[in-house]
Amino acid sequence: MPSHYSPFMDAPDLLILGALALGGFLWLSRGRGDDSGQTSAVDPREAARVAKTPNARSLVAKLEQDGKDMLVLYGSQTGTAEDYAGRLVKDAVKYGLHALALDPEDIDVEELAKVPATKLVVFVLATYGEGEPTDNAVALNEYLSQQYEEFRNADPDDKPLRNLHYAVFGLGNKTYELFNAMARNIDKWCTALGATRIGPCGEGDDDANMEEDFGRWRETVWPEFAQFYGINLAAEAAKAAAAGLSRSFTLVDHEEMPSIVYRGELGDRSHTTYDAKKPFMARIVATRELFSGKEVPVRNCVHVELDLTGSKLIYQPGDHLAIWPQNQQHDVDMLSLALELTHRLDNVFSLTSTDPAATKRHPFPCPTTYRAAFTHYLDIAVPPKPHILQAWLPHIADPATRAIYARLTGDKAAYAAEITDHHTTVAELLLKHPIVPPLPLDVVFESFTRIQPRYYSISSSPRYLGNPNRVHITATVLRYESTAKNKSVHGLCTRHLLDLHEQLQRDPAAAISVPVAIRHASFKLPRQNATPVIMIGPGTGVAPFRGFVQERCAIVAKAKSSTSAIPPAPLGDALLFFGCRHEQHDFLYASEWPEYLAQGGLTELITAFSRDTDKKVYVQHRLAEHGDRVWDLVRKGAHVYVCGDARNMARDVHWWFVEAAMTRGGLSEEKAERFVKDMRTKGRYLEDVWA
Ligand SMILES: Cc1cc2nc3c(=O)[nH]c(=O)nc-3n(C[C@H](O)[C@H](O)[C@H](O)COP(=O)(O)OP(=O)(O)OC[C@H]3O[C@@H](n4cnc5c(N)ncnc54)[C@H](O)[C@@H]3O)c2cc1C
Ligand SMILES: NC(=O)c1ccc[n+]([C@@H]2O[C@H](COP(=O)([O-])OP(=O)(O)OC[C@H]3O[C@@H](n4cnc5c(N)ncnc54)[C@H](OP(=O)(O)O)[C@@H]3O)[C@@H](O)[C@H]2O)c1
Ligand SMILES: Cc1cc2nc3c(=O)[nH]c(=O)nc-3n(C[C@H](O)[C@H](O)[C@H](O)COP(=O)(O)O)c2cc1C
C-alpha cells in the first residue's frame, strides 16, 4: 500500500478552508451539490454533516479524508461515465485501496495542481455536443485548456501538474466527427502540463461495444495501477476478500416516520434556480398525437406543450429540454413482487454511502419509500449487465442457484440467450431464478443506475408563442421488438409521455407535471437575420426547425408592425428539407408549414417521402435535386443545420455537401472536406444529432 502523505494542512490552508467551508455550506444549503435537496426544507442532518466537512469542495481534503488513494472524476451527461467511475471505485476497494468517485462540478478543479504524487486521479469522460465536454465537466475543461495555453511551453519545473499522476478513459461514439475529443484533449493537456499518465488512454465507442472497450481498458490499466501503488493485485484481492465483503451502502428501514420523506419529487418551488441538478416540475398544458392514419406497425409521436411559469427558465429555439421519466407501474409491481416488498412498498428507508467523504451521501433522495425509489429514482426496466450479476454471486447461498447466475456472468452466449435477447429485467430474472435467502436490498439497489433525463430538441419559439413560459417538444415513441421477438420494448421516457398524453385525453383537466430543465445549445439561428438558412431535419429531426421557423415568423411580424423610419434588413431565405416515411402518416406538423410559408418565416419546404414510392427518397436526394439553389445559398454565406439521426442521415448529408463542394465548387476531395470542416469551425454547419 502507498504511504499516506504529508501533514493534513497548514495554517493558511485551514483559514481558507474555514471560509470555504462556510461558503460551501451556504452553497449546498441552496440545494446544489447534493441531490437530496429537492424538497422545500434542507435536511437538517445533511446540513450538519456538510457543516462538519472541512471543505466540501476541496479535492485535497477529500483525498486526505480516510487516506484516499484514488479519485475518479467523471464527466457524464446520461449516466454511463458516472456508472463506470463507480465501477472503478469498486475495483479499487477489491484491491484494498481507498477510492472515491467525484462529480468535477462538486470540487475545485484548480486543486488538481495540489494532488500529491502518491495519489492517482482517474478521468472518466464522455464527449458531447460536437466534441464538447458534458455539462458537469465544463469547468474542468475550461480550467485545463486555459492552463495548457498558459503553461504548455513552461520549464518542466514550472509546469503546474508536474506532481499529478492520472489515467483516462473516454466515452464516445465513432458516429460523431470528433470521437472522444474530451478524453483526448484532457490527456494532451495534462501531459503538456507535466502530469504523468499511468496506463494507456482508453477510448470507448458507444456505436460498437463500450462495455467491452471499458472491460479491456480496466484489464490493461489495473496491473499498471498496481505497479504505481506498489501492490500485488492478487494478494490484495485475497486480503480484502478475507476481510469480508465490503458494502457501498447501508440500508436502514425507518421505524418512525422521519420529518422529511422524499416521494419522488425532483423539483422544489421554494428554490429560485432550476437546472439539471434541480429540475423544475413543469405542468403539461397540452398534448397531441402527430402521426395520423393507420400505419402498421403502430407508431406514435407526441407533441407536448409545457408551462415553465415560476421557474425563471428561459430558452431559445435550438435549446434542449431535459425530461426525467418515471417507471411504469407494471415494472414497479413486478420488482416489488420479486423482492417480496409488495406489502412494504410505502415503508420509509434510507440508503447511505458507507464512505463519509462521498459528496453524494445517498444515491437518490433519502429517506424515501420503496415505491418512490422504484418509480422515480432507479432505472429498473433495463437488463442487468454481467458485472451486476457478478456482484450478486457472493450473496447467493444456494450452490445450484449460484451456478445459474455464475454461468450468466461468465458465458457470453448464455447471457445473450437469457438476458439480452429477451430484454430481461432484474425483476424478471429474480422471478425466474429466485434467490433464497433473498439478496440483501442494498446489493439489489446497487444493481440499478439512477433514472437519467432524456433530452428533446425544443420545437417552439417563445417570441412566436408570445409567452416565454411555454415550451414545446416533439417526441417519437420508441418501440421495438426484443431480439427473441417475445417482447415489445418501449423507451422509458417516450412511453411515459405517451401515457400522460392518453391520460390527458381521458381527463383534460388532470394536473400533470414532469421534472424538466433547459440545456442551452449552440444550435442557433444566425445572428444576422439576412443570412440564409438551410435546414435539414427528417423525422423528429424537424423539431428544432419548427422553433427556428416560428422565430423567423415572429421577426417578420415585428418588422411589419415596426413604425421605425429605418426599414429592417430583409430576412434571408430559409429552405427546410423534411423527410418521413409516408405523407399521410408521419408528416410532422403538416398543417402548420403552409401558415409559416404564408407568414414569411419559411421560404420553401422540400419534402422527401421515403416509402410512398418504389424507390427510397431521402432528404439528400432532394438536396441534389435543388443542388444549384442550395450551393448558391452556401456561396452567399448560408448557415446549414442538420438535425436527427447521427448514424446514417447526418453522415450522408455531410457527404452530400462535400460532394457539392467538389462538383459545384470545383474543389478537390481534400479541399472539399476542408471546406465543410471550415464551415463547421466557423459555426456555419451545425448539427443537433443523436444516435
Ligand atoms: C440532443 C438530443 C436531442 C434529441 N431530440 C429529440 C427530439 O426532439 N425528439 C425525439 O423524439 N427524440 C429526441 N432525442 C432522443 C431522446 O433523448 C431519447 O433518446 C428518446 O426519446 C428515447 O428515449 P426513451 O426514454 O423513450 O428510450 P430509452 O428507454 O432511453 O431507450 C433508448 C435505448 O433503447 C435502446 N434501443 C433503441 N432502439 C433499439 C432497438 N431497435 N433494438 C435494441 N435496443 C434499442 C438503445 O439502447 C437506446 O439507447 C434527442 C436526443 C438528444 C441527445
Ligand atoms: N436514441 C434513441 O433511442 C432514438 C430515439 C428517437 C429517434 N432516434 C433516431 O433518430 C432518427 C429519427 O427518428 P424518427 O423516428 O423521427 O425517424 P424515422 O421516421 O425513422 O425516419 C425519418 C425519415 O428518414 C429516412 N431515413 C432513413 N435513413 C436515412 C438516411 N440515411 N438519410 C436520410 N434519411 C434517412 C427514413 O426513411 P426509411 O425509414 O423509409 O428508410 C424516414 O423517411 C432515427 O434514425 C432513430 O434511430 C433515436
Ligand atoms: C447529443 C450527443 C452528442 C455526442 N457527441 C459526441 C462527440 O462529439 N464525440 C463522441 O465521441 N461521442 C459523442 N457522443 C457519444 C457519447 O459520448 C456517448 O454516448 C457516451 O457514452 C455518453 O456518456 P454518458 O452517458 O456518461 O453521458 C454524443 C452523444 C450524444 C447523445
Side-chain angles (χ1 to χ4, degrees), residues 553-605:
C553 288
I555 293 169
V556 175
K558 191 175 168 211
K560 279 188 183 153
S561 65
S562 167
T563 51
S564 162
I566 311 157
L571 211 54
D573 277 353
L575 303 190
L576 171 58
F577 290 86
F578 170 73
C580 66
R581 299 179 187 182
H582 303 283
E583 184 173 9
Q584 296 305 320
H585 295 317
D586 53 351
F587 186 176
L588 295 175
Y589 302 109
S591 64
E592 293 184 16
W593 302 114
E595 286 174 38
Y596 301 143
L597 284 162
Q599 290 169 28
L602 183 61
T603 312
E604 192 171 346
L605 172 68

Side-chain angles (χ1 to χ4, degrees), residues 320 454-457 474-476 478 480 491-494 540 690:
H320 300 132
R454 272 58 167 177
Y455 292 87
Y456 294 90
S457 307
T474 310
T476 295
L478 178 67
Y480 59 90
L492 186 63
C493 191
T494 48
T540 21
W690 58 92

